[in-house]
Amino acid sequence: MKRILIIEDDTSIAELEREYMEINGFSTDIENNGETGLHKAQSTDYDLIILDLMLPRVDGFEICRQLRIDKLSHRVYINEIEINLTVKEFDLLVLLASYPNRVFSKNELFERIWGLDSLGDSATVTVHIGKIRDKIELVPSNP
């Protein structure tokens, strides 16, 4: 059964969302403030988090920032398993994840990650993306 966490400080909205989700076969938990919601989201495996933005203690934007890719420690997890990436693979993944609806050329990615004065060519971008897919995709040829 899919698990959903609802982080919502308005009890009537949270209960309405829970009712709708449970009618459709989902298991739901509710937290009514950002601090406990963030802790629950980090300590329990959820398939989806429904997040209010205006929350007491920790707002929804901060929760979202803390739950996204762990940039400071350069760590990537998939289903609670740490994935080892090189520095350039990590930097490339962070750049792409930071702009989910943007299309980059290989040259642009090369310049942003390796720098204008780097030796090499944009083909290295293709190689690095292939390595990232091998590490994070269940079926790398069909991401």
Side-chain angles (χ1 to χ4, degrees):
M1 179 178 290
K2 299 289 185 181
R3 295 189 68 197
I4 297 175
L5 174 61
I6 299 169
I7 306 175
E8 170 63 65
D9 60 329
D10 185 320
T11 306
S12 61
I13 292 174
E15 289 299 329
L16 181 64
E17 290 171 339
R18 176 201 302 254
E19 186 176 315
Y20 181 77
M21 294 301 156
E22 289 181 349
I23 286 172
N24 286 285
F26 297 99
S27 170
T28 60
D29 293 325
I30 295 175
E31 290 297 332
N32 62 10
N33 72 65
E35 187 175 69
T36 59
L38 176 60
H39 176 72
K40 187 93 165 202
Q42 290 173 326
S43 64
T44 308
D45 187 28
Y46 289 99
D47 297 292
L48 175 70
I49 298 173
I50 299 174
L51 178 60
D52 184 17
L53 296 178
M54 303 300 291
L55 293 164
R57 299 193 183 139
V58 179
D59 69 36
F61 291 111
E62 182 59 27
I63 291 171
C64 191
R65 273 193 281 298
Q66 290 193 35
L67 292 177
R68 286 186 160 214
I69 298 170
D70 191 353
K71 292 191 281 187
L72 294 177
S73 66
H74 285 80
R75 292 183 176 179
V76 175
Y77 295 89
I78 297 177
N79 295 325
E80 299 181 25
I81 298 170
E82 186 172 358
I83 306 301
N84 294 314
L85 298 176
T86 67
V87 171
K88 294 299 183 191
E89 290 168 351
F90 181 84
D91 291 345
L92 186 56
L93 182 62
V94 168
L95 175 65
L96 294 171
S98 296
Y99 299 94
N101 296 315
R102 173 135 186 244
V103 176
F104 291 94
S105 70
K106 286 191 290 185
N107 286 333
E108 188 176 4
L109 291 172
F110 183 78
E111 289 175 7
R112 284 181 169 229
I113 301 301
W114 283 268
L116 292 173
D117 57 346
S118 293
L119 297 175
D121 64 49
S122 61
T124 193
V125 172
T126 305
V127 172
H128 278 75
I129 289 175
K131 288 180 180 180
I132 293 168
R133 283 186 172 161
D134 287 342
K135 293 176 180 181
I136 68 171
E137 296 287 346
L138 292 176
V139 182
S141 61
N142 188 22

